[in-house]
Structures are given as C-alpha cells and as structure tokens.
Amino acid sequence: MVILVVDTVSLVRSNLDRLLTANGHEVLTADTGKAAVEILKNDQRISLVVTDLHVAGMTAVDLFKATRNIERVGDGGNSSPPEFILFTSLRPDGGMNNTDVQLLHETAALGFIDVLFKPLVRGQLLQHVGTVKGGPTPK
C-alpha cells in the first residue's frame, strides 16, 4: 500500500517512513499541507494519509477536506479518496485549547480511521494501517 506521512517534524516523518517501509508499504512524505495536497494530486496510488493535527499551512481537517476535491481516476474508473489516520502529540486531557479539541472532534466526524497519540505505539499504528481497504496485512 502507498502511504503519505505528513508532519512538520523530519524525525517523525523519518521514523514512520522506516517503520512502514519495513512492514511492506511504500511511503511518501510531506512537511506541509500544501506539499501533501500536491502529492495527493499527482499520485493516485495513495490509500492512506497519516497526518499530524497541525501541519505547516493547514490543519488535518483542512487537508482531509482538500483531498475530497481531488479527482482520482484509475484504470477501473473513479477511485475513493485516501483514508486518514490522525497522529498527534496533543491530548484531550493534556491542556489542549478549545480550537484543537474542536478539530479533534471534527476529525472523528469526518471519518478519520482513528486518532493515535505520540509517542508512537508501533503495533497500534500497524494494526490501523492493516484495516485500510486494499492494504496488505502488516508483517
């Protein structure tokens, strides 16, 4: 499966890239929301986006909504937009501001697969990645 990892922190992108690649996935990365949208416009193979709540230039909600306007046509006709997992260090019980709490609730309402919290729990991420339609079972 092709996965896009979006995070402003290069170490996070690198760690997720290494983990997901070692488990049989092709990984693309972006450090801004704008870069992520461009990658999504140009690569129809992406099945999953793993993104932080705030990426340079936009929120995860903005990024999700932007993907819904991208026409995805493959060999079999129109294809579904990628699924999303939110991966954030912000925690509802850890002093999030009201705007961030609202964004967190909105991700659930929009249909994000789940919210995962940093630091990474390796098995948890791989389990969620394995639930994405058309994705291979993790090693």
Side-chain angles (χ1 to χ4, degrees), residues 3 86 104 107 136:
I3 301 171
L86 182 66
L104 198 60
T107 62

Side-chain angles (χ1 to χ4, degrees), residues 20-97:
L20 294 167
T21 299
N23 282 273
H25 303 286
E26 181 179 341
V27 179
L28 304 171
T29 63
D31 61 350
T32 68
K34 182 178 179 181
V37 170
E38 287 305 311
I39 290 169
L40 287 160
K41 283 180 181 177
N42 293 311
D43 195 331
Q44 303 288 304
R45 303 170 305 141
I46 298 167
S47 300
L48 176 67
V49 177
V50 178
T51 183
D52 199 354
L53 186 61
H54 293 282
V55 291
M58 65 179 60
T59 68
V61 169
D62 297 330
L63 179 57
F64 181 93
K65 289 177 179 178
T67 66
R68 290 349 194 213
N69 296 323
I70 296 172
E71 185 175 353
R72 293 172 54 99
V73 179
D75 292 337
N78 287 341
S79 61
S80 300
E83 298 200 50
F84 274 69
I85 292 175
L86 182 66
F87 185 56
T88 185
S89 59
L90 298 174
R91 297 177 185 271
D93 59 352
M96 288 177 75
N97 66 43

